[in-house]
Amino acid sequence: MDKSIPEMYGSLVFNDSVMKEKLPKDVYRKLHKTSKYGASLDLDVANTVAAAMKNWAVEHGATHFTHWFQPMTGVTAEKHDSFISPRSNGEVIMEFSGKELVKGEPDASSFPSGGLRATFEARGYTAWDPSSPAFIKDGTLYIPTAFCSYSGEALDKKTPLLRSMEALNEQAVKVLHLLGYDDVTHIDTTIGSEQEYFLIDKDLYKKRKDLLLTGRTLIGAPAPKGQEMEDHYFGVLKPKVSEYMHDLDEELWKLGVPAKTKHNEVAPAQHELAPVFETANVAVDHNQLTMEMMKKVADKHHYACLLHEKPFAGVNGSGKHDNWSLVTNTKMNLLDPGSDPYHNKTFLIFLLATISAVDNYQDLLRISVASAGNDHRLGANEAPPAVVSIFVGDELAKVLDAIDHEASMEKTEKTEMSIGAAVLPNFVKDPTDRNRTSPFAFTGNKFEFRMPGSSLSVADPNIILNTAVASSLEDIYEALKDVPEEEFDHEVYKLLKKMLDEHKRILFNGNGYTDAWLEEAKKRGLYNLKSLPDALPQFKAEKNVDLFTKYHIFTESEIDSRYEIKLENYSKTIHIEALTMIDMVKRDFTPALFKYMKAVEGELLDKKALLGSVDGYDLRVLKELDACSKAIDEGLAKLEADVKKAEGEVDSLAQAEFYHSVILKDMDDLRVPVDTAEAKLPSEALPYPTYDQLLFSLR
Ligand SMILES: NC(=O)CC[C@H](N)C(=O)O
């Protein structure tokens, strides 16, 4: 490391301080207005910004620029253009215009559109998002953009995210003005997205077709040791893993990604990185960069980084916990209860707005995290169940109880905690414990949405959350806007009580994994949408279409397109998994199995010739392997036949349901004899590495 960290941090970012330095004052001011408050930008300003950006980028070794966007594939997209502009004398100059900065025209034909346009309609536009800073990576200037079709419909995740942030801002500011905060002109939704991942040896990774093609293991007997000792969680970092994490931090810091925390996670070979929270759209961009860098840096360190939600059966999967809050331009965190939450009207209003939003749109929140990968993760191993509920913790539960019973409540003194050894410090106890099984947990001054999966774009859940809360806030505004001042406080608590009455069914502080909770949740009328095909029809429910269209998040055709893309993506993912499994079982596993069986058979024949009898462990192994081989044959035949049926299904929902209920089940059934047989084979008989090698070989 040749630079100090403050010097290195953001050194490849065209950030606010670079803009301040490089742009004329009036241009800087106009740009700031656009990026903060959405004021429109004229071409002169864009030209000046583009020239300054280009000069800065070229100084830092960039030769190209790209509009960087997030189509509905869930990953990012880019097309690089060089700055060169040939002159008639055979020379070139480096040029970049305001027009090129503001608008791009990538060929959009091969991106998923879910029927928003026909395949022959190729044109799409990218539009600069000045609220997320440009940066340099691998000699190219990256310009964060939104992506839309020729007719202006969103073909990406950024556009609806920005729309949802604006909707929430508008409603929140209205409510805050009603509460007397006249100095508030703007609120930001902030996100800190914890990112879990697995690291495995690159050579081992390359030997597993399932990891290469699908990101998860489709077969594999469990290792003798899993995570039961819980010794990996927060365990000492292995030297090489620590070097990787160090390198990763540096790469992210250069890009202005505020990577803050790193540690080993619960499963063997699993880790986590958490950033400091940032404005939602910047945080979404930075999370995409984090995932990309995790993979790139892993490659340099001879690792493979797995971002799949459930790469290994039997141990924890990986999530992307979304820490969400609301902050005003005056730096007030609207979800901070302060020292006296019962009397903190502002906090209570935003708390109840969130509670009612989560209750009203549980189905949409579930859909926002539904994917073939994440569906394997939810409901076990510290990932929340598919039933959405909210954990508020003891202190807030008491406050809400008081509101519910129209009882007043004294300010509760903070509890000092003593650990019992004089040498150790006393400290103030947190108002709430944590609850790992809760999908939506209050953690002191923010909510942690624990359902999002590690590979998903965190844009999706935040679009829903922002919009749903905007809608609750609008209801609150409507209920309070004409209340005379002297009755205001009374009416606020009356309204809070009413909202609590209507929505307290979503509150649950217990263990979300128990059957008793699932029963209870059913009685309370909460959704239990177990899989993507179970959940997705709700995306088009009338109340949800009304929400999206009212706040201009999605048009009806954008809703249809997202519905189709989600289903298509789900079916295609499982289709590829099924074909990969068939391929691996037929071409990798069974040849190894037959070879080993042949060897045991030969050994038995020799033994028989020698001893005249063939009783013993070897015979038992051969018989058991033979039984597995028969079951594999049946399992393969069924899976192959059902895949054919699935391919023939034309209705996208019916197809996804078939993949869920038939193909996944076939795959589970086939896995049983394969894993049973694998556990009887010597490791070297297999052409690919086993779970113990994958999970325990890192140094
Ligand atoms: N320690 C944790 O928070 C584990 C979380 C878990 N890995 C998940 O899937 O969400």
Side-chain angles (χ1 to χ4, degrees):
M1 186 173 51
D2 45 11
K3 276 187 183 169
S4 74
I5 291 168
E7 236 180 294
M8 177 209 296
Y9 190 83
S11 55
L12 296 178
V13 186
F14 195 71
N15 57 24
D16 197 58
S17 59
V18 180
M19 285 192 246
K20 230 184 208 154
E21 185 196 320
K22 307 272 179 200
L23 296 173
K25 264 203 181 90
D26 59 322
V27 172
Y28 171 79
R29 235 179 282 124
K30 282 186 190 156
L31 183 61
H32 189 73
K33 253 194 178 157
T34 304
S35 58
K36 254 326 213 191
Y37 306 109
S40 66
L41 195 73
D42 58 50
L43 195 59
D44 282 351
V45 173
N47 277 329
T48 313
V49 178
M53 249 188 203
K54 185 259 309 174
N55 290 340
W56 170 83
V58 170
E59 267 167 37
H60 285 77
T63 52
H64 287 67
F65 70 94
T66 180
H67 276 198
W68 184 62
F69 55 105
Q70 296 167 27
M72 288 184 287
T73 49
V75 289
T76 57
E78 54 195 44
K79 184 181 87 178
H80 301 223
D81 280 304
S82 73
F83 289 123
I84 65 160
S85 171
R87 303 282 104 171
S88 52
N89 62 2
E91 294 175 356
V92 294
I93 57 163
M94 301 296 257
E95 240 180 9
F96 184 47
S97 69
K99 243 165 92 186
E100 286 171 304
L101 167 64
V102 170
K103 188 184 106 185
E105 262 180 63
D107 183 336
S109 54
S110 291
F111 291 114
S113 81
L116 262 186
R117 46 163 184 64
T119 345
F120 64 87
E121 293 168 342
R123 212 188 275 280
Y125 294 112
T126 47
W128 178 34
D129 169 15
S131 59
S132 183
F135 55 90
I136 297 171
K137 193 163 61 70
D138 304 326
T140 293
L141 171 68
Y142 279 72
I143 300 157
T145 57
F147 177 48
C148 67
S149 71
Y150 183 60
S151 50
E153 272 151 329
L155 287 175
D156 69 347
K157 292 173 188 268
K158 171 137 269 184
T159 310
L161 176 70
L162 290 169
R163 291 172 183 165
S164 75
M165 289 164 68
E166 283 169 17
L168 181 52
N169 171 53
E170 190 184 330
Q171 301 309 327
V173 170
K174 269 181 5 193
V175 169
L176 287 166
H177 286 175
L178 210 56
L179 290 165
Y181 297 98
D182 295 334
D183 52 345
V184 172
T185 53
H186 186 82
I187 67 116
D188 266 332
T189 42
T190 61
I191 302 177
S193 44
E194 300 168 17
Q195 178 70 50
E196 294 182 322
Y197 61 100
F198 280 82
L199 281 183
I200 59 168
D201 179 87
K202 186 156 83 178
D203 290 335
L204 299 181
Y205 168 77
K206 281 190 188 154
K207 288 187 183 143
R208 293 220 40 145
K209 227 174 265 168
D210 48 4
L211 286 178
L212 276 168
L213 300 182
T214 73
R216 73 176 179 110
T217 53
L218 300 167
I219 51 180
K225 181 182 177 198
Q227 63 187 43
E228 55 281 74
M229 302 303 285
E230 287 159 347
D231 50 351
H232 195 253
Y233 191 48
F234 287 6
V236 177
L237 301 177
K238 290 178 181 148
K240 293 209 148 196
V241 173
S242 175
E243 276 171 33
Y244 163 80
M245 289 180 166
H246 187 79
D247 234 18
L248 175 62
D249 277 341
E250 284 198 0
E251 290 304 321
L252 292 174
W253 289 338
K254 283 187 218 160
L255 292 169
V257 179
K260 175 84 173 164
T261 307
K262 53 188 181 187
H263 63 84
N264 287 347
E265 253 301 332
V266 184
Q270 192 186 29
H271 312 279
E272 177 177 315
L273 180 149
V276 179
F277 65 85
E278 298 179 281
T279 306
N281 63 320
V282 178
V284 166
D285 286 356
H286 282 173
N287 180 253
Q288 290 289 351
L289 277 178
T290 302
M291 292 195 284
E292 183 188 325
M293 282 300 158
M294 280 180 163
K295 291 191 164 184
K296 259 198 187 148
V297 178
D299 196 57
K300 257 189 10 212
H301 286 250
H302 214 82
Y303 292 146
C305 170
L306 307 180
L307 292 173
H308 194 282
E309 285 78 9
K310 198 73 184 172
F312 302 100
V315 294
N316 276 12
S318 296
K320 184 183 332 248
H321 305 164
D322 177 36
N323 290 283
W324 177 88
S325 194
L326 303 165
V327 184
T328 64
N329 59 308
T330 55
K331 305 275 173 269
M332 177 167 55
N333 175 0
L334 297 167
L335 290 177
D336 185 349
S339 57
D340 186 6
Y342 180 84
H343 294 101
N344 185 345
K345 281 197 305 281
T346 310
F347 165 70
L348 291 175
I349 284 180
F350 281 87
L351 176 70
L352 259 303
T354 309
I355 291 174
S356 57
V358 172
D359 185 32
N360 285 334
Y361 299 102
Q362 315 154 34
D363 48 350
L364 285 181
L365 284 168
R366 170 67 185 92
I367 289 167
S368 75
V369 300
S371 73
N374 205 27
D375 284 4
H376 290 294
R377 162 183 166 259
L378 294 177
N381 300 95
E382 299 192 344
V387 180
V388 177
S389 67
I390 300 180
F391 167 85
V392 287
D394 294 342
E395 185 185 14
L396 279 193
K398 278 186 210 141
V399 173
L400 294 177
D401 206 45
I403 294 172
D404 201 18
H405 292 94
E406 293 172 88
S408 171
M409 190 175 161
E410 292 309 308
K411 177 176 169 178
T412 42
E413 290 311 320
K414 295 273 173 220
T415 333
E416 255 252 325
M417 186 152 154
S418 150
I419 322 183
V423 67
L424 298 174
N426 289 354
F427 47 79
V428 176
K429 207 172 147 179
D430 281 308
T432 77
D433 195 356
R434 289 181 180 252
N435 185 331
R436 289 198 183 293
T437 68
S438 178
F440 203 84
F442 188 70
T443 55
N445 59 5
K446 58 184 163 42
F447 276 102
E448 182 185 11
F449 187 31
R450 292 176 63 86
M451 290 176 102
S454 47
S455 72
L456 304 179
S457 164
V458 78
D460 289 324
N462 286 287
I463 293 167
I464 305 300
L465 202 49
N466 293 344
T467 315
V469 175
S471 162
S472 296
L473 287 171
E474 182 159 24
D475 292 344
I476 292 174
Y477 175 79
E478 289 303 320
L480 295 176
K481 70 173 197 263
D482 298 322
V483 174
E485 209 181 319
E486 59 284 8
E487 287 166 34
F488 195 75
D489 278 11
H490 178 69
E491 285 303 313
V492 166
Y493 282 88
K494 233 171 88 186
L495 177 64
L496 293 173
K497 177 178 164 43
K498 180 171 167 275
M499 291 173 76
L500 200 54
D501 277 345
E502 284 165 11
H503 301 290
K504 64 183 167 204
R505 64 175 186 161
I506 197 80
L507 301 177
F508 177 62
N509 281 345
N511 179 356
Y513 287 169
T514 60
D515 289 340
W517 164 237
L518 296 185
E519 270 304 302
E520 167 69 19
K522 200 170 161 185
K523 272 193 222 139
R524 294 190 192 184
L526 301 180
Y527 287 106
N528 184 2
L529 303 165
K530 293 198 186 87
S531 68
L532 182 140
D534 272 350
L536 216 61
Q538 282 300 121
F539 198 54
K540 292 188 177 189
E542 202 180 328
K543 72 172 178 84
N544 296 335
V545 174
D546 287 349
L547 177 81
F548 289 140
T549 50
K550 177 171 179 197
Y551 293 99
H552 308 291
I553 308 301
F554 298 126
T555 61
E556 290 203 31
S557 49
E558 286 170 346
I559 294 172
D560 288 344
S561 90
R562 271 154 178 83
Y563 172 89
E564 284 303 326
I565 288 171
K566 273 230 174 210
L567 286 173
E568 207 179 275
N569 198 294
Y570 180 85
S571 295
K572 280 182 183 167
T573 302
I574 299 175
H575 186 69
I576 293 168
E577 287 182 349
L579 295 186
T580 306
M581 187 178 196
I582 293 168
D583 186 282
M584 235 177 130
V585 172
K586 277 187 168 172
R587 297 173 60 206
D588 292 341
F589 182 71
T590 44
L593 173 68
F594 298 155
K595 199 167 158 198
Y596 184 64
M597 285 172 74
K598 184 94 198 132
V600 180
E601 202 183 295
E603 191 257 335
L604 280 165
L605 288 175
D606 288 351
K607 192 162 139 185
K608 192 171 179 201
L610 205 64
L611 305 175
S613 102
V614 288
D615 221 10
Y617 181 62
D618 40 11
L619 181 64
R620 180 153 66 85
V621 168
L622 188 63
K623 281 184 177 165
E624 284 170 0
L625 289 179
D626 190 48
C628 289
S629 155
K630 281 191 191 102
I632 291 170
D633 183 34
E634 281 163 25
L636 268 177
K638 170 135 176 47
L639 180 57
E640 283 180 310
D642 286 338
V643 167
K644 286 259 158 342
K645 281 189 209 156
E647 285 166 353
E649 179 55 68
V650 283
D651 177 75
S652 49
L653 181 61
Q655 189 180 47
E657 272 162 357
F658 191 83
Y659 275 105
H660 172 68
S661 57
V662 179
I663 303 293
L664 282 181
K665 163 110 188 18
D666 287 352
M667 289 170 69
D668 283 347
D669 290 347
L670 174 58
R671 183 170 180 159
V672 175
V674 173
D675 288 2
T676 310
E678 187 198 291
K680 297 178 198 305
L681 254 53
S683 316
E684 61 275 10
L686 288 169
Y688 51 79
T690 52
Y691 263 38
D692 52 335
Q693 292 163 328
L694 290 168
L695 290 169
F696 292 97
S697 65
L698 287 200
R699 280 163 295 136

